[in-house]
Structure formats: C-alpha cells, structure tokens
Amino acid sequence: MKTTFKKSVLAFLTCVLALAFALTGCSGGGKDPKANFVGSWELSGGTTEGEELTDEYMDMFEEWGISCILVLDEDGTGSLDLFSEVSDLKWEAKDATTASITVDKETTDVKLEDGKLVLEDGEDKLIFSKSDKDLSGTVKKDREAAEKEEEVEEAVEDGDVQSVEISPAVTVADDDLCTITITEKFQDDWGDIGFVVNIVNKSDKDLTFYAPTGKTNVNGTMKEAWFSAHLMPGTNATEEFTFSKGTLDSFDSLVNTTIGIDAYLTDSYEDVASYSATIA
C-alpha cells in the first residue's frame, strides 16, 4: 500500500516538473535566439574608411535612392543589399546576441547591441536598426536594377553600344551669345541615351548652359533630361544631353525630340537666354 502510494506521488511530481519545464520553454527563458534577428534591418550609422556615417549621410543616401538593407529570413537565408548591390546569404544564431552571416563563402559575426545589429570588419563598423516594414520588396527592385545594369555592360562588351551621326547637324542656337548644334545621338556604356551637343560661347561673359525642367519631350511625351556646360568667354565644348537609364525604352525611342537649353550668367545666376529645337 505504502509502496504504491509512493510511486503515485513520484509519478505526479514527474508530470509537474515536466509541465514546468515545458512552460519555461514557452516563456522568454527558452526563446529561440533566432527570433532576435529575423526581419529587415536598415543601415542607421557607423563608420566606414574612417568616416562617420552621420544622419546627414543617411538622408543623402535616401535622397539618392541608395539602399543598405540586411534581410534575415526565418529559414536561415536572407539578402544583403549593400548600396544597391544585392548578395544572397545564409545565417544562423549562435546565441541570443550573436549571429553568423555567410556571403560568398565569407563568414562574419553580427552582434545585437542596444537593440541594433552591429557588423564590424576591421576599422569599418556598420550599425543596422530594425525596420517595422518588410523591406524585401526594395531588395528585389535593387536586384532587378543591378541585373539590368549587368545586361547593359554585357551589351557594351558585345559591341551593342550605338551612335548615329545627325546629318545635317541640328542648330539649336546661333546668335551673338552662342552657337549650339546637335551632331549625334547615342547610347553609352551605362545605358544612358541622348545627343552630342557642340556649343560655343561667343560672348564676353562666363555662361552656364543647362536643360530646364518642362522643356524637353520625346515623341510628344514630356521627359526629364540632364545637360550642363560651363563655358568661359570665347571657348567651346562638346557635352552630352542625356536621358537617364529607364527614361527611354531603347536607343530607337529617341525620335521626334524637342529639346530645351537655357543659359545663365555663371556668377550671378541671371537667366540670359532660352533656346529649343526639334530633332526628327
């Protein structure tokens, strides 16, 4: 009788202890350390090549559309989008504050410090803050942009860069101030598309020529272009009037184009002239 009772008590205590351990495992004490790292992390500071990555730098990166994102997925894979260059990675949690990340067969540790991920490589130190958003979509866009750029570079290597002489050259301006002519259209090494512009400053003033907003269209559709040339009195230059990659579908899209080029006094920023011309 006593033996049976003693066995029952021991069995009961065993169940209680097992339940206690199970509950402890579900609480913070038994939390899988991997959960501390899973998610999207954005660069928020640090130092690189001895330069501190201040808030001003972070704002500049955002304005330029430059990404620095670390995505750690629950399955131990992820992505490192370092200044819009994307690499796949594998990772694992060593403990609650340390994880190892492997990119291109190179492994490094990141550490959790005050809720932020810190990656150190020599004197460089990158600090990532946890984002409340899933940034995998941004990483995907950067990956696609990088792949497209690689295609452009391959096209350059294959001799697909194009240029066509415009004959006769199109005159944009010819007065006492300057002469501006368009002599060629092209697609360059980086996939930018545009025109070659020859320009002469006939005046006795320092002049800066530029492409103003809202004065250029391609085949009836308004486009933003880039052009800038600073010429001292009596000098000439050859510059490119370009549309950034992605603005036009291809080199063949550059048809029926009306361009605008304005000029201002370099020292005073006073506008002095406005020109336009159409290239068939």
Side-chain angles (χ1 to χ4, degrees), residues 40-53:
S40 298
W41 302 79
E42 287 186 284
L43 182 69
S44 58
T47 57
T48 179
E49 296 184 357
E51 189 79 21
E52 182 181 358
L53 298 175

Side-chain angles (χ1 to χ4, degrees), residues 5-22:
F5 176 76
K6 185 176 181 180
K7 288 182 179 178
S8 299
V9 170
L10 288 174
F12 175 75
L13 289 174
T14 300
C15 291
V16 169
L17 288 172
L19 179 60
F21 281 122

Side-chain angles (χ1 to χ4, degrees), residues 175-221:
D175 56 21
D176 293 339
L177 192 70
C178 65
T179 298
I180 304 174
T181 55
I182 308 295
T183 60
E184 184 181 331
K185 66 178 181 179
F186 67 89
Q187 179 172 341
D188 69 12
D189 295 5
W190 305 103
D192 294 335
I193 295 169
F195 297 104
V196 174
V197 179
N198 293 326
I199 188 165
V200 179
N201 180 1
K202 299 178 181 178
S203 75
D204 59 355
K205 307 290 185 182
D206 269 14
L207 297 176
T208 296
F209 298 83
Y210 70 102
T213 298
K215 292 188 66 174
T216 296
N217 73 75
V218 178
N219 210 22
T221 301

Side-chain angles (χ1 to χ4, degrees), residues 20 59 62 72 117 167 176 228 233 244 258:
D59 293 341
E62 183 176 357
L72 302 178
L117 273 184
S167 182
D176 293 339
S228 181
S244 61
T258 299

Side-chain angles (χ1 to χ4, degrees), residues 151-161:
E151 289 175 4
V152 171
E153 291 174 356
E154 289 176 354
V156 172
E157 292 175 0
D158 293 339
D160 289 343
V161 175

Side-chain angles (χ1 to χ4, degrees), residues 192-267:
D192 294 335
I193 295 169
F195 297 104
V196 174
V197 179
N198 293 326
I199 188 165
V200 179
N201 180 1
K202 299 178 181 178
S203 75
D204 59 355
K205 307 290 185 182
D206 269 14
L207 297 176
T208 296
F209 298 83
Y210 70 102
T213 298
K215 292 188 66 174
T216 296
N217 73 75
V218 178
N219 210 22
T221 301
M222 299 302 297
K223 300 288 185 181
E224 289 297 320
W226 166 256
F227 180 77
S228 181
H230 169 220
L231 278 79
M232 294 184 293
T235 62
N236 65 82
T238 299
E239 301 290 347
E240 294 179 348
F241 186 102
T242 60
F243 302 88
S244 61
K245 186 174 61 180
T247 302
L248 299 174
D249 294 333
S250 70
F251 177 80
D252 296 328
S253 300
L254 197 59
V255 295
N256 301 324
T257 303
T258 299
I259 71 169
I261 295 177
D262 286 4
Y264 62 82
L265 297 175
T266 303
D267 294 336

